[in-house]
Amino acid sequence: MHLAVAFLASALVCTLALDNGLMRTPPMGWLAWERYRCDIDCELDPKNCISENLFMDMADRLSEDGWRELGYVYVNIDDCWASMDRDKQGRLQADPKRFPGGIPKLARYMHDRGLKLGIYGDMGTHTCGGYPGTTLDKIETDAQTFAEWGVDMLKLDGCYSNATEQAEGYPRMSKALNATGRPIGYSCSWPAYQGGLPPKVNYTQLGEICNLWRNYGDIQDSWDSVLSISDWFYKNQDVVGPAAGPGRWNDPDMLIIGDFGLSMDQSRSQMALWAIMAAPLFMSNDLRTISSGARAILQNKMVIGISQDPMGVQGKRLLMKKSGIDVYWRPLSENTSALVFFSRRNDMPYRYQTSLGKLNYTAGTYKVFSVFTEKVATLKDTSDFVVSVNPTGVVLLYVSAPAKHRQFHANAKLHGPAYFRHDDLDNAIPPSFL
Ligand SMILES: *[C@@H]1O[C@H](CO)[C@@H](O)[C@H](O)[C@H]1NC(C)=O
Ligand SMILES: *[C@@H]1O[C@H](CO)[C@@H](O)[C@H](O)[C@H]1NC(C)=O
Ligand SMILES: *[C@@H]1O[C@H](CO)[C@@H](O)[C@H](O)[C@H]1NC(C)=O
Ligand SMILES: *[C@@H]1O[C@H](CO)[C@@H](O)[C@H](O)[C@H]1NC(C)=O
Ligand SMILES: *[C@@H]1O[C@H](CO)[C@@H](O)[C@H](O)[C@H]1NC(C)=O
């Protein structure tokens, strides 16, 4: 049932994405804002200030610690990189003290390592941090400057502009980026400034002009923040979900896994809920000191594979049970799918009993792989099973047909071993699936 609906849905989501060929799967990488904010005091805090060193450090980690091969390729500067004044030709320029080599040096640094550089701008008189913004008369100049610098992605914020200016500015920047001839991924904060919902937000139009867009408020380093963002997106899934597809993504904001606010279970929950949402995966953390536990979650190949499914259909919440268990589902290519059982409870691991049939799986027998525990089961749609879900945690299942020997759908960019080999699974089918 779900599968039929999914294929219908993907047929209806025609290819009206921004035509720059980019981000056919949700973009992945690293973004400075949540962890590093507008820290510009390099004397007091040399390791963490917004400077070329910070971005070069992160590029080193991405390219040397196995992140790049998994798809984490963008290194994105956020606010507070610019000089307070434009140059004599009216162009933006980086703060020369913190970025002595300028942005082109950073772009080369990224490209030499197989990475991409993202930058931040703002449709308005000033950025949210008070730096020079991109007013309507500066759109083409700034697009051209970013292209000449070798930038690969632009996040365009919306502080200090009104709705009329935004309605003109965001589409015009899309055209201006295209006119540079350089493929530049375009992240629009526009809908977040319009309340995130129709009739103010036109998701059809957004999909035509932006590769991704921020619908809702900024993420902070806390579980409350993750949960409130997740709940907003899933509550509005019927409105925002159909807008997503290859080249065009809803952006619930950064992954804060590896920071200070989340337990390991909550970290798995953010990763699973973001993957089901087909969300961009931009980490904002310190890759120099990240714990092995957080790294294992962020580098889990199956959850990345679910996130990066080429069909690009955004998943949804199916059920919210009185027990405090929610069930989420995302259809994936080749008749596979992912299920998440998420617990809102704060008391104990909860044993949730269900069957695939109750979740509308009706094709007989399935092979089920539990992504974070690496347990495997073969389940009949009619048989009950139990998952034990930790408080504020998840159980994430990858579901496929049992007989078909296929490899888990790897990110097209990856050439290494597949995420998932059925041969490994055939040996290890446990009697129960807990
Ligand atoms: C610009 O848009 C055209 C038409 O939509 C597209 O074919 C082309 O690839 C785009 N170029 C860039 C650099 O985005
Ligand atoms: C938006 O700002 C522009 C330029 O500052 C101004 O001319 C216009 O009246 C404003 N529009 C609204 C609806 O506030
Ligand atoms: C939304 O945008 C699309 C594409 O730009 C346009 O055809 C449509 O008329 C817009 N819808 C509304 C309600 O403005
Ligand atoms: C998916 O399932 C449908 C219906 O069961 C079947 O017709 C189709 O061939 C399957 N597709 C793949 C790629 O296995
Ligand atoms: C299963 O499908 C039926 C009929 O389309 C629908 O009413 C029901 O909500 C679905 N159940 C779940 C758990 O998605």
Side-chain angles (χ1 to χ4, degrees), residues 7 22 84 92-93 221 223 261 282 296 318 358 361 378 393 395:
F7 288 122
L22 298 173
M84 279 298 178
L92 291 169
Q93 49 188 349
D221 193 356
W223 174 241
F282 286 103
L318 299 180
K358 286 177 189 144
Y361 286 78
T378 300
V395 170

Side-chain angles (χ1 to χ4, degrees), residues 34 220-224 226 256 258-263 266-267:
E34 196 291 315
Q220 312 295 348
D221 193 356
S222 73
W223 174 241
D224 281 356
V226 170
I256 57 164
D259 291 317
F260 307 104
L262 301 187
S263 70
Q266 291 162 351
S267 300

Side-chain angles (χ1 to χ4, degrees), residues 73-84:
V73 295
Y74 285 94
V75 180
N76 288 9
I77 304 169
D78 207 274
D79 202 352
C80 309
W81 59 271
S83 175
M84 279 298 178

Side-chain angles (χ1 to χ4, degrees), residues 80-95:
C80 309
W81 59 271
S83 175
M84 279 298 178
D85 301 304
R86 288 176 176 263
D87 72 7
K88 288 203 188 79
Q89 283 83 46
R91 291 174 304 200
L92 291 169
Q93 49 188 349
D95 180 333

Side-chain angles (χ1 to χ4, degrees), residues 3 7 334-335 404:
L3 293 173
F7 288 122
E334 299 190 43
N335 285 351
K404 239 179 80 191

Side-chain angles (χ1 to χ4, degrees), residues 202 204-205 208:
N202 181 340
T204 308
Q205 183 189 16
E208 292 167 1

Side-chain angles (χ1 to χ4, degrees), residues 114-398:
L115 300 170
K116 294 167 184 269
L117 182 69
I119 205 162
Y120 168 99
D122 186 285
M123 175 66 242
T125 54
H126 297 85
T127 71
C128 301
Y131 292 79
T134 301
T135 44
L136 291 170
D137 58 313
K138 288 288 191 291
I139 287 177
E140 285 74 22
T141 305
D142 291 356
Q144 194 57 39
T145 303
F146 296 144
E148 283 168 14
W149 285 349
V151 161
D152 304 295
M153 174 171 171
L154 169 66
K155 170 180 168 183
L156 193 62
D157 213 337
C159 278
Y160 303 111
S161 54
N162 65 34
T164 315
E165 295 164 310
Q166 291 171 359
E168 186 181 341
Y170 279 97
R172 257 182 58 198
M173 178 58 88
S174 185
K175 284 210 186 79
L177 291 173
N178 179 279
T180 68
R182 182 176 178 81
I184 298 179
Y186 184 32
S187 166
C188 299
S189 301
W190 185 19
Y193 286 86
Q194 299 172 301
L197 295 172
K200 283 195 177 162
V201 178
N202 181 340
Y203 278 104
T204 308
Q205 183 189 16
L206 276 174
E208 292 167 1
I209 65 166
C210 313
N211 294 113
L212 60 158
W213 48 81
R214 286 284 310 283
N215 321 53
Y216 193 63
D218 284 359
I219 201 161
Q220 312 295 348
D221 193 356
S222 73
W223 174 241
D224 281 356
S225 176
V226 170
L227 188 57
S228 69
I229 288 172
S230 177
D231 279 341
W232 187 89
F233 279 84
Y234 286 112
K235 187 179 86 190
N236 295 301
Q237 62 192 8
D238 294 336
V239 175
V240 302
R248 40 188 288 172
W249 310 103
N250 293 297
D251 182 5
D253 211 5
M254 292 158 272
L255 297 169
I256 57 164
I257 298 163
D259 291 317
F260 307 104
L262 301 187
S263 70
M264 281 299 130
D265 273 295
Q266 291 162 351
S267 300
R268 283 186 278 271
S269 295
Q270 192 189 17
M271 197 70 186
L273 293 169
W274 263 233
I276 292 288
M277 240 188 276
L281 301 179
F282 286 103
M283 309 179 278
S284 190
N285 52 16
D286 190 345
L287 297 173
R288 297 165 298 197
T289 58
I290 190 168
S291 72
S292 56
R295 178 192 310 219
I297 293 165
L298 290 162
Q299 294 195 343
N300 183 298
K301 289 178 178 174
M302 279 195 68
V303 71
I304 292 172
I306 290 166
S307 148
Q308 300 292 299
D309 184 79
M311 206 162 77
V313 174
Q314 179 167 334
K316 53 168 71 171
R317 184 160 61 199
L318 299 180
L319 297 171
M320 291 180 84
K321 305 297 283 188
K322 281 209 192 75
S323 60
I325 303 298
D326 293 355
V327 183
Y328 301 79
W329 167 82
R330 180 174 171 190
L332 304 171
S333 44
E334 299 190 43
N335 285 351
T336 69
S337 60
L339 281 171
V340 169
F341 302 91
F342 165 64
S343 174
R344 295 175 181 276
R345 299 177 70 102
N346 291 303
D347 52 353
M348 60 182 179
Y350 187 79
R351 292 166 57 85
Y352 178 68
Q353 182 168 344
T354 187
S355 69
L356 289 175
K358 286 177 189 144
L359 303 173
N360 281 349
Y361 286 78
T362 54
T365 306
Y366 294 86
K367 186 159 272 183
V368 169
F369 187 91
S370 177
V371 170
F372 291 121
T373 63
E374 302 187 358
K375 287 187 185 173
V376 187
T378 300
L379 293 175
K380 273 214 187 100
D381 51 15
T382 50
S383 320
D384 272 17
F385 64 93
V386 173
V387 285
S388 178
V389 194
N390 288 348
T392 65
V394 286
V395 170
L396 169 59
L397 303 181
Y398 172 69

